[in-house]
Amino acid sequence: FSQSRAPQEGIVLPQEPVTEAPPIVTPEESQTDSFVQITPENVLPVLQETLDKPTAYHQSYTVSVGADDAQSQRSVELWVNWPLVHGEVSDKNRTKTVISDGETAYLWYNSDPNYITVPLTDSVEIWDLLGLPAHDYLAALADAEITDADYLVLEDPRVQCAYVCTQAGDVTWRYWVELDSGLLYMTDVLERSTQVYLVRQTYLELLAQEDESFSGRFQLPDGTRPFAAEEE
């Protein structure tokens, strides 16, 4: 379901699709949270002018993809020290690790230390290899038909979000952008009102670029550091 339309590895979805959005508190119900009114007409300028994505952070998502009796759920953990990205995609069977500098990606599995090299292009990004929506969601929104937008406050945990809904035929993309971080908090895809893809953030920690948690994250299984120049 990457918006780059690049070929994807099989991803598994929930057997019983959920079509309801998470609980929200509307702006009228919130006495302490306030944000500029968001509409389909102004949501892009609002996001472009008010949000500033962090360049160094540790983030985790749960990902569900599926239809009918096929299902799969996995976790994706990211360490981002832009432009360097270390991602780990885990299910009950194995873990796939991907590292990239935005131009080249290296991919391997915990069951096999041998890695493969993947040149990245406009049609194949690291987010495709991780099974996540494109990091540049603003570009995706600019090319889509926006049918709804609003300011929402999600509950449990309480997160202030800009909500954006886009439509393309029978397919609906919904985005919840966390206003504090500028990162995607949640995204889902509906096909004829049935949810077939769901990504939801479970953890986020903003880091300094020199944080020790990045140590060893951008090296290959044999210890080679292909992005040494970018790390310095």
Side-chain angles (χ1 to χ4, degrees), residues 106-149:
Y106 297 87
L107 182 157
W108 67 92
Y109 291 89
N110 60 342
S111 57
D112 184 357
N114 295 314
Y115 59 86
I116 63 174
T117 304
V118 182
L120 299 180
T121 65
D122 291 341
S123 59
V124 179
E125 300 180 339
I126 184 174
W127 315 107
D128 303 320
L129 302 177
L130 296 171
L132 293 175
H135 185 259
D136 188 3
Y137 58 83
L138 290 178
L141 292 174
D143 292 335
E145 178 187 355
I146 298 176
T147 58
D148 192 16

Side-chain angles (χ1 to χ4, degrees), residues 6 15 17 24 29 60 78 96 107 109 113-114 117 120 123 160 199 201 203 205 218 224 227 232:
Q15 187 170 3
I24 63 171
E29 294 170 331
S60 299
L78 302 173
K96 176 177 70 176
L107 182 157
Y109 291 89
N114 295 314
T117 304
L120 299 180
S123 59
Q160 296 183 78
V199 176
Q201 177 183 287
Y203 179 82
E205 180 184 10
F218 308 113
T224 302
F227 314 127
E232 295 175 355

Side-chain angles (χ1 to χ4, degrees), residues 8-9 74-81 83-90 95-110 112 114-120 124-132 216-221 226-227:
Q8 301 296 309
E9 295 187 3
R74 60 190 62 189
S75 63
V76 181
E77 194 162 9
L78 302 173
W79 286 265
V80 177
N81 196 350
L84 302 180
V85 177
H86 174 119
E88 296 180 2
V89 184
S90 302
T95 297
K96 176 177 70 176
T97 300
V98 184
I99 61 173
S100 172
D101 64 348
E103 297 182 359
T104 305
Y106 297 87
L107 182 157
W108 67 92
Y109 291 89
N110 60 342
D112 184 357
N114 295 314
Y115 59 86
I116 63 174
T117 304
V118 182
L120 299 180
V124 179
E125 300 180 339
I126 184 174
W127 315 107
D128 303 320
L129 302 177
L130 296 171
L132 293 175
R217 290 291 173 188
F218 308 113
Q219 67 184 33
L220 301 174
F227 314 127

Side-chain angles (χ1 to χ4, degrees), residues 11-17 65-73 194 196:
I11 308 177
V12 192
L13 321 179
Q15 187 170 3
E16 297 181 1
V65 188
D68 300 326
D69 57 354
Q71 70 171 19
S72 155
Q73 295 188 0
T194 298
V196 296

